[in-house]
């Protein structure tokens, strides 16, 4: 088990700020751009239309398997969990099979945003309106001196940990309450190649305030969808 605060596997905060000790030519935005160039060198994310096959593991719960289609050009999303008989589908801004404003529609929109954001990182950090702190940190992440870039949103604050040589995403965390350090940290492992993109394959979640392990998500494979983008 990872101990977020104390163990040798923990994220030990060195808090090296960029006051002469960091490369003055680097900024948070430039580091994120380097990470995007690693994960999506040909800029393929915006043209993505793939089916993703996922599994998860949660403490004390049976593993689940489900599929997700993300069609960005077609503005289409579909989530299928056959084991729980759940299907959520969004076409444009319309929920298929549920009325706008209903709980099912809200859930469908939430899932669309969740999968589109998390599995689209770091490319999603180029979205319009995203503010990236200019200054960055260097922190020890499981023995790697990682670049750390802070991205504040309206409701939460995110930190992205980048490999010092390749700029690959190593982990990210978010705080719902930054002052009290209440949030979650997600460690990334392995990659699945999608076209020429490198998508992290495993995501293990822990609470930041008490090191509670929440579970792991696995990307098993991807494939071309039956539903093609409409011209």
């Amino acid at each position: 088990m990872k101990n977020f605060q104390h163990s040798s596997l923990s994220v030990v905060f060195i808090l090296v700020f960029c006051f002469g000790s960091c490369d003055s030519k680097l900024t948070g935005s430039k580091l994120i751009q380097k990470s995007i160039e690693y994960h999506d060198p040909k800029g393929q994310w915006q043209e993505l239309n793939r089916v993703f096959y996922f599994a998860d593991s949660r403490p004390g719960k049976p593993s689940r398997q489900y599929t997700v289609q993300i069609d960005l050009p077609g503005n289409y999303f579909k989530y299928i969990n056959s084991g729980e008989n759940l299907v959520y589908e969004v076409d444009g801004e319309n929920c298929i099979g549920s009325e706008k404003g209903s709980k099912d529609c809200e859930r469908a929109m939430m899932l669309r945003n969740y999968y589109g954001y998390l599995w689209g990182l770091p490319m999603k950090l180029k979205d319009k309106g995203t503010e990236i702190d200019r200054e960055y940190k260097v922190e020890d992440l499981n023995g790697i001196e990682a670049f750390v870039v802070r991205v504040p949103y309206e409701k939460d604050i995110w930190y992205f940990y980048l490999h010092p040589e390749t700029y690959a995403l190593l982990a990210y965390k978010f705080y719902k309450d930054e002052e009290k350090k209440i949030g979650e940290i997600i460690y990334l492992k392995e990659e699945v190649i999608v076209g020429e993109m490198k998508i992290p394959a495993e995501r293990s979640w822990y609470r930041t305030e008490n090191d509670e392990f929440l579970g792991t998500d696995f990307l098993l494979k991807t494939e071309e969808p039956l539903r093609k983008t409409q011209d």
Side-chain angles (χ1 to χ4, degrees):
M1 174 182 290
K2 297 177 185 291
N3 186 318
F4 179 73
Q5 294 180 330
H6 301 296
S7 80
S8 61
L9 295 177
S10 69
V11 182
V12 181
F13 282 54
I14 298 179
L15 299 179
V16 180
F17 287 89
C18 300
F19 296 119
S21 60
C22 298
D23 187 339
S24 61
K25 295 181 181 179
L26 286 177
T27 64
S29 292
K30 289 181 179 179
L31 286 168
I32 292 300
Q33 182 58 40
K34 287 177 178 292
S35 186
I36 292 172
E37 290 168 1
Y38 170 83
H39 285 282
D40 185 15
K42 300 297 184 181
Q44 296 178 331
W45 172 254
Q46 293 302 326
E47 299 303 316
L48 180 79
N49 183 10
R50 301 284 294 188
V51 175
F52 293 78
Y53 291 82
F54 295 106
D56 64 24
S57 176
R58 299 287 185 268
K61 296 181 180 180
S63 177
R64 301 176 298 175
Q65 294 193 8
Y66 42 96
T67 62
V68 170
Q69 181 178 351
I70 301 175
D71 177 0
L72 295 181
N75 196 15
Y76 174 82
F77 170 85
K78 189 172 185 178
Y79 170 99
I80 301 174
N81 183 332
S82 299
E84 298 180 10
N85 196 30
L86 292 175
V87 177
Y88 295 100
E89 190 173 8
V90 180
D91 195 350
E93 296 304 314
N94 297 314
C95 298
I96 308 302
S98 58
E99 294 183 3
K100 192 171 184 179
S102 67
K103 289 185 178 181
D104 281 347
C105 186
E106 290 177 359
R107 176 69 174 170
M109 293 293 187
M110 185 279 291
L111 288 170
R112 180 191 65 174
N113 295 339
Y114 171 84
Y115 284 99
Y117 182 78
L118 283 188
W119 296 90
L121 289 170
M123 292 73 77
K124 290 294 290 180
L125 299 178
K126 295 293 287 185
D127 283 2
K128 184 177 180 180
T130 302
E131 296 182 4
I132 301 172
D133 282 6
R134 179 178 178 81
E135 294 181 355
Y136 63 93
K137 304 175 187 178
V138 176
E139 297 178 7
D140 183 274
L141 181 75
N142 299 338
I144 297 176
E145 296 297 302
F147 292 116
V148 187
V149 180
R150 180 178 181 271
V151 179
Y153 290 99
E154 182 178 355
K155 294 184 178 181
D156 41 33
I157 309 296
W158 287 70
Y159 288 84
F160 296 90
Y161 294 76
L162 311 179
H163 192 281
E165 297 176 359
T166 66
Y167 307 100
L169 270 179
L170 299 173
Y172 41 76
K173 71 180 176 185
F174 64 89
Y175 288 132
K176 293 295 184 182
D177 187 326
E178 189 176 25
E179 183 177 352
K180 295 180 179 179
K181 307 299 183 186
I182 296 175
E184 297 175 13
I185 184 164
I186 301 94
Y187 297 93
L188 309 179
K189 183 180 178 182
E190 306 299 335
E191 293 173 341
V192 171
I193 304 302
V194 181
E196 296 192 45
M197 291 185 291
K198 305 177 187 74
I199 306 295
E202 295 184 20
R203 300 163 192 261
S204 295
W205 299 66
Y206 294 79
R207 294 196 187 279
T208 54
E209 62 270 28
N210 59 15
D211 191 39
E212 178 187 358
F213 173 62
L214 300 175
T216 301
D217 299 321
F218 303 93
L219 173 56
L220 305 176
K221 65 177 182 176
T222 76
E223 66 182 19
E224 294 284 343
L226 294 176
R227 181 192 191 277
K228 300 294 185 179
T229 301
Q230 299 296 317
D231 295 327

